[in-house]
């Protein structure tokens, strides 16, 4: 069975500083994809970044990067130069890349960026 | 706006009533997913369609729930005889699945959700 664990219910970061949001996962599937989504208070889930299980390099998308440690089964999201607009819920998700039938989501981390 | 849309955005109903939600995916997307999100939790998978075929249903989807995607375009999610435990945000997502394997991203694009409150 697949499972995503996010152990930080809430995080604070000072504007312009970097922050790391933790995500660990468990799966017996050898091929999988890891996704991070942002959910502002408006409710819509916004895709941020993707890491495939066989990718040799960590994914980067603008200010977002993914610290992927396959042996530890962790896929932490790093946000550099935090902005006030980054305040939101952040969800880590995993899907099987053999069929992409569903995503498994963690319980999320609420990020608050302080001015 | 060519994103995923959902209607209504909010629904308040009394216990025992039936409700129906609609989702319009991104037009060229072949897959459509329904998730349920309760307060303080991440979304939980309910069901998904490949074009018009419903390929998988979660055991969360009791007999009171039914989903359709006629003609492979928009989808509806109906809940019959609503219960207070059905109160949640119902999220719809779509994706264009071009292939499989870890090198293919296939991210899901989400709509704004329908918030259901059962009194």
């Amino acid at each position: 069975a697949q499972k995503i664990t996010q152990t930080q219910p809430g995080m604070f970061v000072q504007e312009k500083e970097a922050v790391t949001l933790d995500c660990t996962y468990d799966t017996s599937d050898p091929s999988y994809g890891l996704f991070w989504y942002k959910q502002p208070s408006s409710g819509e889930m916004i895709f941020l970044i993707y890491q495939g299980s066989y990718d040799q390099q960590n994914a980067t998308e603008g200010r977002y990067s993914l610290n992927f440690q396959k042996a530890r089964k962790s896929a932490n999201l790093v946000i550099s130069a935090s902005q006030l607009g980054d305040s939101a819920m952040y969800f880590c998700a995993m899907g099987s890349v053999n069929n992409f039938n569903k995503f498994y989501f963690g319980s999320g981390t609420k990020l608050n960026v302080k001015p | 706006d060519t994103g995923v849309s959902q209607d209504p955005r909010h629904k308040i109903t009394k216990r025992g009533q039936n409700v129906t939600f609609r989702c319009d995916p991104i037009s060229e997307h072949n897959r459509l997913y329904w998730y349920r999100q309760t307060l303080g939790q991440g979304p939980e998978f309910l069901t998904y369609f490949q074009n018009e075929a419903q390929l998988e249903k979660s055991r969360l989807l009791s007999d009171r729930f039914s989903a359709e995607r006629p003609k492979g375009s928009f989808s509806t999610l109906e809940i019959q005889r609503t219960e207070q435990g059905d109160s949640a945000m119902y999220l719809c997502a779509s994706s264009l699945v071009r292939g499989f394997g870890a090198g293919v991203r296939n991210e899901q694009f989400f709509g704004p959700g329908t918030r259901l409150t059962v009194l």
Side-chain angles (χ1 to χ4, degrees), chain A residues 31-33 35 37 39 42-47 49-55 61 89 91 97-108, chain B residues 4 9 31 33 35 37 40-45 47-48 56 89 91 95 97 99-113:
Chain A
S31 300
Y32 51 89
F35 302 77
Y37 282 84
Q39 188 177 42
S42 58
E44 188 165 346
M45 303 278 283
I46 302 166
F47 166 74
I49 195 167
Y50 168 78
Q51 180 86 41
S53 59
Y54 293 118
D55 291 345
E61 292 276 356
M89 284 291 291
F91 291 96
V97 300
N98 292 322
N99 53 26
F100 283 102
N101 55 341
K102 71 187 80 168
F103 283 179
Y104 295 88
F105 285 84
S107 56
Chain B
V4 179
R9 295 291 306 277
R31 288 212 178 169
Y33 306 81
Y35 290 85
Q37 185 178 21
Q41 298 298 317
E44 294 175 290
F45 170 77
T47 187
Y48 90 99
E56 187 169 341
M89 175 79 89
L91 293 165
S95 68
V97 176
F100 302 98
V104 187
R105 201 161 76 177
N106 288 339
E107 71 269 32
Q108 295 179 15
F109 294 83
F110 282 80

Side-chain angles (χ1 to χ4, degrees), chain B residues 5-59:
Chain B
S5 61
Q6 292 187 246
D7 183 68
R9 295 291 306 277
H10 303 273
K11 179 71 177 178
I12 300 174
T13 191
K14 292 183 180 179
R15 186 165 51 93
Q17 298 294 305
N18 299 343
V19 294
T20 300
F21 309 141
R22 176 179 170 125
C23 170
D24 287 89
I26 294 172
S27 59
E28 65 268 25
H29 284 185
N30 52 8
R31 288 212 178 169
L32 187 147
Y33 306 81
W34 285 99
Y35 290 85
R36 183 175 73 184
Q37 185 178 21
T38 53
L39 207 60
Q41 298 298 317
E44 294 175 290
F45 170 77
L46 292 179
T47 187
Y48 90 99
F49 293 83
Q50 169 84 22
N51 299 315
E52 67 273 12
Q54 187 174 19
L55 296 187
E56 187 169 341
K57 293 194 294 185
S58 161
R59 48 188 181 175

Side-chain angles (χ1 to χ4, degrees), chain A residues 50-107:
Chain A
Y50 168 78
Q51 180 86 41
S53 59
Y54 293 118
D55 291 345
Q56 297 295 316
Q57 293 190 332
N58 289 338
T60 60
E61 292 276 356
R63 293 186 299 111
Y64 304 108
S65 61
L66 207 151
N67 184 0
F68 180 48
Q69 299 188 47
K70 192 171 181 178
R72 292 187 175 184
K73 293 190 175 180
S74 74
N76 299 338
L77 176 71
V78 180
I79 305 175
S80 63
S82 298
Q83 302 172 355
L84 295 178
D86 293 335
S87 294
M89 284 291 291
Y90 288 81
F91 291 96
C92 180
M94 177 172 61
S96 167
V97 300
N98 292 322
N99 53 26
F100 283 102
N101 55 341
K102 71 187 80 168
F103 283 179
Y104 295 88
F105 285 84
S107 56

